[in-house]
Amino acid sequence: MLRKTQKAAARRTGTAARDKQRPAAAERTGSWHLARTETEKRLSEFEFRLERLAQAYYRWKAACLAAVCDVPLTGDDVAVLNVVRMGDEPKRLSEIGQLLNRVDVPNLQYATRKLVKAGLIETEGSSSRKETRYRATERGHDVTEAYAALRAATLPPMLEALDGWAEKSEAAGSHLELVSSLYTQAAQVAITRRHQP
């Protein structure tokens, strides 16, 4: 009797039809919505590794900078600082964003303001926000040099101890560039679908 009542209630709300449309994997105990097929499972494992790598990398950058400078900065801030210093050429905010493959302009503006306030970078050029360029101050130059020296003393010896590091890193780098372009394409497809009726 109870089962008949539940079926009747499901028919009234339409849940029975929706349940039939769900893939079988979604009904299994312990299944995950991002890993329903073998390809999705591999992709999820790759993304978790990528996420852990990114978090470890950004923690490393913040820790390395903290060892040579008393300004508390995040890994994102350190990335902006090093890109500003790159080539010792002043850069617009749009150039910093391009080099870091970032489109989150408000966060980049926040990072540059933070670095200016810390005395690590300074502005030059027009008062127009778009034309403002950023360059490392003398203090910023000293800090990034100390950062580079600590990085050189820490990471390269560890990496050189890994068997086949040079070849593997080159292959992994090429692969990551390819995957990065696929994520860019997928983002464009997602944006297009969002605007479809």
Side-chain angles (χ1 to χ4, degrees):
M1 180 71 179
L2 180 61
R3 192 172 287 169
K4 285 181 182 178
T5 306
Q6 288 172 333
K7 284 183 181 178
R11 277 194 300 275
R12 281 195 300 273
T13 60
T15 55
R18 284 195 298 272
D19 286 345
K20 287 179 184 174
Q21 293 172 354
R22 287 186 190 138
E27 297 171 4
R28 287 196 310 256
T29 303
S31 65
W32 190 37
H33 68 286
L34 294 178
R36 295 168 298 190
T37 66
E38 194 58 37
T39 300
E40 288 177 348
K41 182 180 175 191
R42 286 193 182 109
L43 176 61
S44 298
E45 288 170 0
F46 170 78
E47 287 175 337
F48 270 133
R49 289 183 185 120
L50 188 61
E51 190 67 43
R52 288 192 293 269
L53 170 63
Q55 296 303 322
Y57 175 54
Y58 278 83
R59 268 196 315 276
W60 146 253
K61 288 196 294 185
C64 186
L65 191 103
V68 298
C69 178
D70 59 354
V71 178
L73 296 176
T74 66
D76 279 326
D77 299 331
V78 177
V80 171
L81 175 61
N82 281 321
V83 164
V84 168
R85 171 74 203 285
M86 184 191 295
D88 287 317
E89 291 287 329
K91 294 170 189 68
R92 292 185 185 92
L93 195 67
S94 59
E95 294 171 314
I96 296 167
Q98 273 187 313
L99 288 166
L100 291 171
N101 195 23
R102 288 179 58 177
V103 295
D104 54 333
V105 175
N107 290 327
L108 286 173
Q109 289 171 331
Y110 176 75
T112 53
R113 283 195 302 269
K114 190 172 175 183
L115 293 167
V116 167
K117 187 176 178 182
L120 297 171
I121 66 173
E122 60 190 0
T123 60
E124 71 169 36
S126 169
S127 59
S128 160
R129 224 180 240 180
K130 285 186 178 181
E131 294 305 313
T132 299
R133 288 184 163 92
Y134 298 91
R135 68 173 175 211
T137 61
E138 188 177 334
R139 181 179 185 218
H141 187 278
D142 293 343
V143 165
T144 52
E145 284 297 312
Y147 176 95
L150 179 56
R151 177 178 177 268
T154 309
L155 277 175
M158 292 178 181
L159 295 171
E160 288 162 2
L162 296 175
D163 188 39
W165 154 252
E167 299 79 21
K168 288 176 184 173
S169 67
E170 192 172 325
S174 298
H175 191 70
L176 286 173
E177 283 294 330
L178 174 62
V179 172
S180 175
S181 68
L182 294 178
Y183 274 106
T184 299
Q185 288 176 17
Q188 291 168 349
V189 170
I191 289 168
T192 303
R193 288 204 179 157
R194 186 180 70 192
H195 295 293
Q196 287 177 352

